[in-house]
Amino acid sequence: MKAYIRTYGCQMNERDSENIAANFVEKGWTITSVEDEADVIVINTCSVREQAEQKAIGKLSHLLSYRKWQKRNLPIIGVTGCMAQNRGEEIAKALPRIDFIAGPRKTHLVANIAIDIHNKVLQETFSPRERLRKPYIDISDDNTSHLRINKHYNLSKTSNVCAFVSIMQGCQMNCSYCIVPKVRGVMRSRPTDDVVCEVKQLVENGAKEVMLLGQVANAFGREIPAQNGVSEFVRLLQKLNDIDGLERIRFTSPHPSYFRDDLINAYGSLEKLCEYVHLPLQSGSDRILKAMNRPYKSADFLKIVDKLRARSSDMSISTDIIVGYPDETEEDFLQTVEAFKQANFDMAFIFKYSERKGTKSAELNDNISDAIKEDRNQRLLAVLEKQSMDFHNAMIGKTYQVLVESNAKRGENMFMGRTRNHRKCIFKADESYIGKMVNVKVNSATVTALDCEIV
Ligand code: SAH
Ligand code: SF4
Ligand code: F3S
């Protein structure tokens, strides 16, 4: 039997899909990348912006059209993830032919639910008509779900070299625009030893690099008191740094409020912690930050950036920005541009504000026109492009350590790997290099990648 899993949204969702896949495999199923041959289709959804929801709804409507499945029975179709949590009942009404709907805290149950329905259909315990009347729904709260997320199955098809590890779930920062706290529940950290154990296992299976994941990754273990000013998160990094065979540690996303000196000082002292930080700023205007319920000022953020850059000249810093938040003036936007330049971000995700029902900002008037949002988006993208290009140009002629990840899909012998500061390098190599550390010299650069040669 075969399952097909399609993922929308963030890396945490990708990680959840790996967990779902592992549970199918454990029960003797295989994972297919061909939707048309699947017995079960899982659509793992995102709710963070309107567009993400639209994409998943479009996909589901297409999947449910009988015409698509003319030659065979409709496969079992399930919706999981954040939109399942946020709009589960609504989806069930609008698309009753979906078989099941399960929230992001039910990830560990998805394979069971799907296989159970599949078996009942096979054994004709329920008739096709019965099956198509109303989906099975499980979107109740479960704040112990973070204790059952340690199974891995590589869905990316490239290699096992870099692994995602979820270290905490949920969020209660309650940024006024954000749906995540509503759909993912309160912050729950996994026990430190569970994480260490999982990483050791991954390293035994070939992983060289781990990306620790959490909505507020650096708030990990915040209920455990700091020891000599060192937080539980930094203690986790120290323990991971001691694992033989592990070469690199990254994490995403940290929140500026938890980015204290113990964490800043870990850069340069923990040799496996890579010089790359994705630190969401959201806005450079203190007035907008306050409205967003982001508890820091632009100057506080820039201070963290300065301290990080002082730890290493290779430090790469990326960010998330929202343009067109309610009442954002041209002046507010220019302050964002200014902070963006001062921080000298070399990578960024820039989003147009999208009103989400059930959030605090949805009570405000979404009064910035789409034309203005688009204009601000484009202007900031232009700044980003220049900064990325400058960052890359400064790397030309120099030599960097790269972990070879996979075939670059750009001609037969071209492979892809990243520098410690997360720059994508393309170079000539062969399969035997995958998982190895090499030194490469940068010959030329585009905004998105570096053309290199192994030296
Ligand atoms: N927990 C992470 C990421 C959350 S979602 C963090 O706090 O950094 C990823 C990004 O989506 C956010 O950083 C934010 O920039 C953006 N985002 C969240 N809600 C949004 C909304 N309603 N409209 C537009 N962008 C949004
Ligand atoms: Fe959303 Fe803010 Fe939590 Fe990030 S920190 S997930 S933006 S509420
Ligand atoms: Fe989207 Fe949920 Fe991630 S809303 S961004 S998939 S936490």
Side-chain angles (χ1 to χ4, degrees), residues 8-13 45-48 82 179-180 183-184 215:
Y8 296 89
C10 63
Q11 289 150 313
M12 274 141 274
N13 244 22
T45 60
C46 170
S47 255
V48 81
C82 296
I179 196 72
V180 172
V183 293
R184 294 252 166 180
Q215 292 297 351

Side-chain angles (χ1 to χ4, degrees), residues 171-175 177-181 215-216 255 282 294:
C171 179
Q172 60 214 57
M173 300 306 288
N174 294 324
C175 302
Y177 50 81
C178 185
I179 196 72
V180 172
Q215 292 297 351
V216 194
H255 191 289
Q282 311 300 1
R294 298 283 292 184

